[in-house]
């Protein structure tokens, strides 16, 4: 039989069935596992025998979730964590030591920025921000102690892209561990490992669950690096709960159909906003007006579910717009069945200085939308009536 398509495997990869031959994967809500004898227990602990010991290390539900994400990303191995930030943190901390230096895209997630600027300096780990859309300038910032390149594409919330092929070549030239936060794209839209990334990191909380129910994260990548990461995580304890892994693994069965609809809705919403007189600048990777449209077409299969736009009336218009919405939710999450609208400057990115915000395109009138699975006519009707109030 020819290799099955990812959408089939995302449904059919499964844990070994129990004596009941259940159709859907059962929930293994157990912290530990037993052994029939002391010898097998010894061999499992030493790694000589394969087996499951303790749910901080692994669990059948977590293993199933990891196998599916590895398949979708084309990765050798992975580890699942309690949240996306636990995954981001582990993907850096497991490989860095005092004295090391990180090159990071200026447009990284808010909490990633806090780790780099507020937590790592106390541990002697320094960083330099580079411009995500100018990889030709990065050489100037490499130091003898630079160990890792940390990128996010598309970025949150400005939707700027990084050229993964150029970044991969750059990382290889300078022998850097290349670490990509692939949360916004999902492995269905983009697979960073194919461009030379060593690690691909996700918040499972977002599109992977897609239903606003759980927190979770995952790091996948090259087996030798993931071995090191597993050692770090086993002993520091950021493991994913089996219950969340069970939900996330089930959610992956519908990831493709959900993402197709999210992307189709987002594209329609972006096209509507672009034509609206109250909107100054609409950003969506698959709109020809996106400054990196050609790159988006090259490295992304679909445009994603996030649209960002700037209200011509600035911050006052943005606040009035949010207060006038009737269908869309005001919430900080993204990647939900329900359309969510956020004002980054006063919420997710309020802790940054104005200068830091402007450097990553977060203007006072910028609005971020995570386009849901409601009928697109209803989403657009809500936006239309709210835009009349600004
Ligand atoms: C949400 C998010 C995270 C963090 O994930 P949590 O599950 O909230 O911890 C990291 N990176 C990106 C791009 C995100 O959108």
């Amino acid at each position: 039989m020819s290799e099955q398509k990812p959408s089939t495997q995302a449904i059919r990869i499964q844990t070994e069935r129990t004596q009941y031959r259940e159709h859907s994967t059962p929930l293994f809500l157990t912290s530990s596992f037993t052994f029939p004898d002391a010898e097998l227990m010894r061999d499992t602990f030493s790694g000589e025998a394969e087996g499951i010991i303790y749910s901080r290390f692994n669990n059948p539900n977590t293993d199933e979730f990891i196998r599916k994400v590895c398949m979708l990303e084309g990765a050798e191995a992975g580890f699942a964590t309690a949240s996306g930030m636990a995954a981001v943190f582990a993907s850096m901390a497991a490989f860095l030591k005092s004295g090391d230096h990180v090159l990071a895209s200026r447009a990284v997630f808010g909490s990633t920025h806090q780790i780099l600027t507020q937590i790592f300096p106390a541990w002697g780990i320094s960083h330099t921000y580079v411009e995500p859309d100018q990889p030709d300038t990065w050489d100037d910032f490499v130091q003898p102690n630079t160990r890792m390149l940390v990128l996010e594409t598309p970025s949150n919330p400005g939707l700027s892209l990084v050229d993964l092929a150029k970044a991969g070549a750059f990382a290889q030239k300078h022998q850097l561990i290349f670490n990509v936060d692939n949360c916004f794209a999902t492995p269905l839209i983009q697979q960073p490992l194919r461009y030379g990334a060593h690690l691909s990191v996700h918040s499972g909380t977002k599109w992977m669950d897609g239903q606003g129910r759980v927190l979770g994260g995952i790091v996948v990548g090259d087996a030798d690096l993931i071995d090191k990461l597993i050692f770090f995580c086993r002993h520091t304890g950021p493991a994913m709960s089996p219950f969340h892994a069970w939900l996330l693994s089930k959610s992956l069965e519908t990831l493709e159909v959900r993402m197709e609809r999210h992307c189709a809705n987002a594209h329609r919403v972006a096209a509507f906003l672009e034509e609206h007189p109250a909107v100054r600048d609409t950003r969506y990777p698959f709109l020809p007006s996106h400054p990196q449209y050609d790159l988006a077409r090259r490295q992304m299969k679909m445009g994603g579910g996030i649209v960002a736009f700037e209200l011509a009336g600035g911050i006052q218009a943005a606040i009035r717009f949010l207060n006038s919405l009737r269908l869309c939710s005001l919430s900080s999450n993204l990647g939900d069945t329900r359309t969510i609208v956020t004002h980054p400057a006063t919420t997710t990115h309020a802790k940054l200085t104005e200068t830091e915000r402007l450097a990553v395109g977060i203007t006072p009138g910028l609005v971020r939308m995570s386009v849901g699975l409601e009928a697109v006519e209803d989403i657009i009707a809500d936006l239309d009536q709210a835009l009349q109030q600004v």
Side-chain angles (χ1 to χ4, degrees):
M1 206 167 83
S2 64
E3 172 96 356
Q4 289 172 345
K5 296 267 188 269
S7 52
T8 306
Q9 294 194 59
I11 291 169
R12 289 292 175 175
I13 285 178
Q14 61 183 40
T15 58
E16 223 176 283
R17 289 321 193 208
T18 73
Q19 75 272 29
Y20 299 114
R21 299 185 308 275
E22 58 282 344
H23 192 201
S24 180
T25 299
L27 173 55
F28 293 92
L29 209 47
T30 176
S31 41
S32 68
F33 296 81
T34 56
F35 300 89
D37 53 59
E39 288 77 13
L40 186 62
M41 190 170 182
R42 177 199 60 204
D43 293 347
T44 310
F45 268 76
S46 75
E48 238 165 86
E50 264 200 35
I52 299 193
I53 299 174
Y54 190 59
S55 291
R56 169 152 49 81
F57 305 165
N58 56 353
N59 170 285
N61 293 119
T62 340
D63 285 352
E64 185 183 273
F65 171 61
I66 294 168
R67 276 170 63 202
K68 286 185 183 180
V69 179
C70 284
M71 178 275 301
L72 290 170
E73 285 271 7
E76 291 171 349
F79 189 82
T81 55
S83 71
M85 279 325 298
V88 170
F89 175 71
S91 75
M92 298 193 287
F95 306 105
L96 297 169
K97 60 180 190 311
S98 178
D100 285 348
H101 173 254
V102 178
L103 271 191
S105 158
R106 189 180 294 290
V108 286
F109 187 66
S111 292
T112 310
H113 170 76
Q114 299 298 345
I115 292 174
L116 290 169
T117 58
Q118 306 297 321
I119 297 175
F120 277 174
W123 300 351
I125 300 167
S126 59
H127 73 281
T128 304
Y129 280 136
V130 292
E131 300 310 322
D133 55 351
Q134 293 165 35
D136 302 333
T137 65
W138 298 350
D139 282 310
D140 298 344
F141 303 100
V142 177
Q143 304 176 8
N145 57 341
T146 306
R147 294 279 169 267
M148 184 177 276
L149 174 67
V150 173
L151 301 176
E152 193 178 309
T153 180
S155 70
N156 178 12
L159 297 172
S160 61
L161 309 185
V162 182
D163 188 323
L164 286 170
K166 281 194 179 166
F170 172 85
Q172 190 176 26
K173 176 173 155 198
H174 296 286
Q175 300 278 295
L176 309 178
I177 299 176
F178 180 17
N179 180 345
V180 179
D181 184 331
N182 198 27
C183 173
F184 261 41
T186 82
L188 287 181
I189 292 181
Q190 152 185 296
Q191 293 145 337
L193 304 181
R194 301 197 192 287
Y195 297 91
H198 303 103
L199 301 166
S200 178
V201 182
H202 289 277
S203 165
T205 316
K206 312 293 170 58
W207 307 105
M208 282 190 177
D209 172 51
Q211 291 149 87
R213 306 172 298 185
V214 303
L215 283 173
I218 187 163
V219 185
V220 300
D222 298 354
D224 54 337
L225 290 177
I226 296 295
D227 274 350
K228 223 173 155 179
L229 181 111
I230 288 174
F231 172 84
F232 180 85
C233 290
R234 273 186 167 214
H235 302 298
T236 54
M240 173 178 279
S241 132
F243 178 55
H244 288 187
W246 176 77
L247 283 167
L248 281 162
S249 182
K250 207 75 194 132
S251 302
L252 289 180
E253 297 182 12
T254 55
L255 183 65
E256 182 167 280
V257 285
R258 287 188 285 107
M259 287 317 293
E260 282 172 3
R261 177 71 173 264
H262 278 297
C263 294
N265 280 2
H267 206 148
R268 290 265 303 271
V269 163
F272 163 79
L273 289 167
E274 188 164 48
E275 294 300 315
H276 200 287
V279 177
R280 194 158 50 203
D281 177 23
T282 305
R283 291 177 223 165
Y284 184 69
F286 270 30
L287 279 186
S289 58
H290 190 286
Q292 295 161 295
Y293 174 72
D294 291 336
L295 173 62
R297 285 281 175 183
R298 265 205 311 281
Q299 72 184 25
M300 296 171 71
K301 281 204 198 90
M302 299 184 275
I306 306 286
V307 180
F309 59 98
E310 160 97 33
L311 284 166
I315 188 157
Q316 263 90 28
I319 300 297
R320 271 201 301 276
F321 171 74
L322 260 67
N323 285 335
S324 305
L325 291 165
R326 294 180 195 144
L327 176 74
C328 301
S329 311
L330 307 190
S331 178
S332 66
N333 195 19
L334 61 91
D336 198 321
T337 53
R338 302 162 183 218
T339 298
I340 292 172
V341 175
T342 338
H343 182 240
T346 56
T347 59
T348 50
H349 292 71
K351 293 224 168 63
L352 273 66
T353 64
E354 173 100 37
T355 319
E356 285 172 333
R357 274 198 296 272
L358 290 177
V360 288
I362 305 175
T363 50
L366 186 79
V367 173
R368 185 192 76 189
M369 270 186 81
S370 166
V371 181
L373 300 180
E374 302 98 335
V376 70
E377 295 80 2
D378 291 329
I379 301 170
I380 289 175
D382 191 34
L383 300 178
D384 200 21
Q385 66 79 23
L387 284 170
Q388 282 168 26
Q389 310 301 316
V390 309

